[in-house]
Amino acid sequence: MSEPTVLLTAEGLSKWFGATYALRGVSFDVRAGEIHAIVGANGSGKSTLVKILSGAYPPDRGQITAGTDGLIIGTVHQNLSLFGEATVRENICGVIPARMLSAARETAVVKRLLGQLGLAIPLAAKVQELPIDQQAFVAVARALARTQDAPGAVLIVDEVTSVLRGQAATRFAEVLGRLRDRGIGIVLVSHDLDEVLGLADRVTIITDGSVRAVEEAASLDRRRLIELMTGGSVEAAGVAEAEGAATRPVVLSVTGLSGDLLHEFNLEVRSGEVVGLIGVPGSGYDEAPYLITGAGAGRRSGEVRLSGRAVHSPGAFAAHGGRLIPADRGRTALVSAGTVLENFMLGHQGGHARWGLRQARQERQLAEAAVARYGVKCAGIAAPITSLSGGNQQKLIMARCLEASPRVLVVHEPTQGVDVRARAELLAHMHRAVAERGLGVVYVCGDLDEVWDNAHRVVVVRRGRKVGEAEVGTTAKESVHQLLY
């Protein structure tokens, strides 16, 4: 059997920002017809490597060599980088030079690309109106359009699967498999270790900007992969038993809550209790966190009471002791142009003020203490928020919420795009607040294993309605699977 064609070779790639090294002599290759996963903890250098491979950054040392003539690299970025106001067709065809594609062929080309993904998305629909999983598929189709079906193309998929759950994730895996079978080399950057082990042919593990190991995926299991990524084992954060939960006060009461997808939803959360909320894409479960907190853009009816007080807006929710960690932290939880300090202080209404004047020194002290307490790795509180890895951004958001001493915390996909160590740290902070302060949590997530490991009780939504719930520890997880589908 002949050796597979090497499409791309990276040799000795190094990149530094000021005195900080992001990459140190990274070398690896991508072969035709393989999925090559890149894994590592947040801040390990994965994002910098992707930016160099895609041409966004030049390397300070090292080189990239194409193994075939006319090699084209398509990239699907973590934030998708789509134009929300533009249509599906405009987003996909915008990367193709006008001379390569006549107006008469646009529809046919887009339909073919979407057909490769097994989708039928209205070509005239604005991207911002699509569900996040369909937006991800549009981004993939755009990357494929850029390769123009060139032989030996390379497709870089950077943390895209973190927004996909259930059937959408399964469909995406099937698409990657079909692209691999066509001879495309795929670079898969993912924090989902089960996905990596299930899809990848080879795995490159990066730690502190250097390649720690390159392994055949078939030779790895989850424990070994974590050991290579972290230098040791990482224990998952455990949810403490909510003793006497039935006698504790109700801190959140939801009655007849309805939105665009969710209908007549009822929920109670008691002090010191984590209630998981799960469903499949399109069921409406992921609309609940924004309806509960008043942050949704669509229609809303029903009643939400926080500590006995009715709330109808995000401001009222926060004023009465509620906090929200949304799924899309970049767009809805952070100010990308701000610093670590400025983003942390978003959680403290009005900041620290006396007679209307902000107390900058107190704010700095508070932020510095929180950054240290929650293990946020950054160059300082004056550093741009965009200089932090995804996991450290999420830690800062968690710190911002918990330092406000809320009664209720609503979290939507809190570990999305976060590595195993940061995930354990994030969840440990949350569970500590539950156990020690009596925090009530609504944990909204499409991953049943994650919900089951972190909740006392799991509520299931199907086709827009609550169809049942299960007590973790007294009910078989399989019963929830039956409710989901």
Side-chain angles (χ1 to χ4, degrees):
M1 182 180 295
S2 61
E3 290 293 321
T5 301
V6 175
L7 301 175
L8 179 151
T9 301
E11 297 177 288
L13 297 182
S14 295
K15 185 71 178 178
W16 56 88
F17 300 94
T20 303
Y21 263 97
L23 291 181
R24 298 173 181 264
V26 169
S27 299
F28 84 112
D29 61 56
V30 183
R31 300 168 185 170
E34 77 161 348
I35 298 178
H36 191 145
I38 300 175
V39 301
N42 283 317
S44 62
K46 303 188 306 299
S47 295
T48 301
L49 177 58
V50 167
K51 287 181 171 66
I52 290 176
L53 293 176
S54 60
Y57 288 166
D60 292 320
R61 290 180 185 166
Q63 62 181 1
I64 299 172
T65 305
T68 62
D69 293 335
L71 176 67
I72 298 177
I73 299 174
T75 305
V76 187
H77 297 282
Q78 183 175 1
N79 63 2
L80 303 183
S81 298
L82 297 170
F83 297 100
E85 289 286 345
T87 66
V88 170
R89 177 165 48 199
E90 289 167 343
N91 269 275
I92 294 174
C93 292
V95 299
I96 305 174
R99 66 180 185 277
M100 301 290 293
L101 188 66
S102 67
R105 291 192 58 211
E106 277 193 354
T107 298
V109 169
V110 174
K111 284 185 175 180
R112 176 178 60 80
L113 290 169
L114 292 176
Q116 292 173 353
L117 303 178
L119 295 174
I121 301 175
L123 305 191
K126 289 186 177 181
V127 164
Q128 64 187 13
E129 298 171 352
L130 299 175
I132 188 63
D133 59 323
Q134 290 193 8
Q135 292 184 30
F137 282 112
V138 171
V140 173
R142 184 180 62 177
L144 291 176
R146 187 177 187 278
T147 67
Q148 302 168 30
D149 287 329
V154 170
L155 179 66
I156 301 173
V157 181
D158 184 13
E159 295 291 359
V160 175
T161 52
S162 63
V163 302
L164 303 179
R165 299 293 186 188
Q167 294 177 347
T170 300
R171 187 185 308 165
F172 193 84
E174 293 171 350
V175 167
L176 293 186
R178 289 201 295 270
L179 296 177
R180 171 176 54 189
D181 293 343
R182 286 170 45 193
I184 292 177
I186 299 170
V187 178
L188 175 67
V189 183
S190 176
H191 284 303
D192 187 332
L193 302 189
D194 292 329
E195 175 186 61
V196 167
L197 294 172
L199 291 178
D201 300 290
R202 288 190 296 157
V203 182
T204 290
I205 300 97
I206 297 179
T207 60
D208 297 324
S210 300
V211 173
R212 182 180 180 88
V214 181
E215 302 282 348
E216 296 291 331
S219 69
L220 296 169
D221 58 21
R222 185 181 179 86
R223 180 179 295 275
R224 177 58 180 158
L225 195 49
I226 291 174
E227 289 175 352
L228 288 170
M229 289 172 59
T230 65
S233 60
V234 176
E235 296 298 327
V239 55
E241 184 177 350
E243 297 180 3
T247 62
R248 293 183 178 182
V250 173
V251 291
L252 177 68
S253 175
V254 177
T255 306
L257 190 62
S258 298
D260 294 327
L261 295 175
L262 197 65
H263 303 290
E264 296 297 323
F265 181 70
N266 300 320
L267 180 70
E268 282 190 348
V269 180
R270 295 182 179 272
S271 174
E273 182 184 31
V274 181
V275 178
L277 183 58
I278 191 170
V280 299
S283 66
Y285 82 100
D286 48 359
E287 189 180 33
Y290 309 102
L291 293 175
I292 291 171
T293 60
R299 63 187 182 90
R300 178 181 186 261
S301 62
E303 183 180 63
V304 176
R305 303 188 74 85
L306 184 56
S307 299
R309 299 177 179 179
V311 295
H312 302 285
S313 68
F317 186 79
H320 296 316
R323 288 295 184 273
L324 166 68
I325 298 181
D328 191 344
R329 59 176 172 265
R331 291 172 57 186
T332 57
L334 297 171
V335 177
S336 61
T339 64
V340 171
L341 170 62
E342 290 165 342
N343 275 276
F344 176 76
M345 292 311 301
L346 291 175
H348 300 77
Q349 295 177 346
H352 286 259
R354 179 180 297 173
W355 301 302
L357 300 175
R358 294 180 68 88
Q359 302 296 302
R361 181 180 177 185
Q362 292 182 28
E363 292 181 357
R364 289 196 301 269
Q365 291 174 341
L366 184 67
E368 288 170 349
V371 163
R373 186 178 302 117
Y374 289 82
V376 180
K377 294 181 180 179
C378 61
I381 60 172
I385 191 65
T386 52
S387 68
L388 274 63
S389 67
N392 284 300
Q393 290 180 359
Q394 194 75 336
K395 286 182 187 178
L396 185 73
I397 296 169
M398 181 69 77
R400 183 176 73 194
C401 289
L402 295 184
E403 288 297 294
S405 300
R407 301 288 307 278
V408 171
L409 178 65
V410 178
V411 295
H412 184 197
E413 302 289 358
T415 64
Q416 181 172 282
V418 174
D419 69 65
V420 289
R421 184 173 294 279
R423 178 178 303 188
E425 293 171 354
L426 281 165
L427 295 176
H429 287 301
M430 185 191 76
H431 289 307
R432 189 175 300 114
V434 171
E436 296 177 359
R437 303 187 212 163
L439 175 69
V441 177
V442 181
Y443 198 102
V444 185
C445 178
D447 186 326
L448 178 56
D449 290 334
E450 181 173 326
V451 171
W452 198 261
D453 289 342
N454 290 286
H456 301 106
R457 180 161 51 96
V458 177
V459 173
V460 182
V461 173
R462 186 176 71 231
R463 296 181 180 176
R465 298 188 181 276
K466 177 179 175 180
V467 293
E469 60 181 70
E471 295 283 344
V472 175
T474 62
T475 309
K477 191 189 303 185
E478 288 69 23
S479 65
V480 178
H481 273 294
Q482 295 175 6
L483 290 172
L484 280 171
Y485 301 100

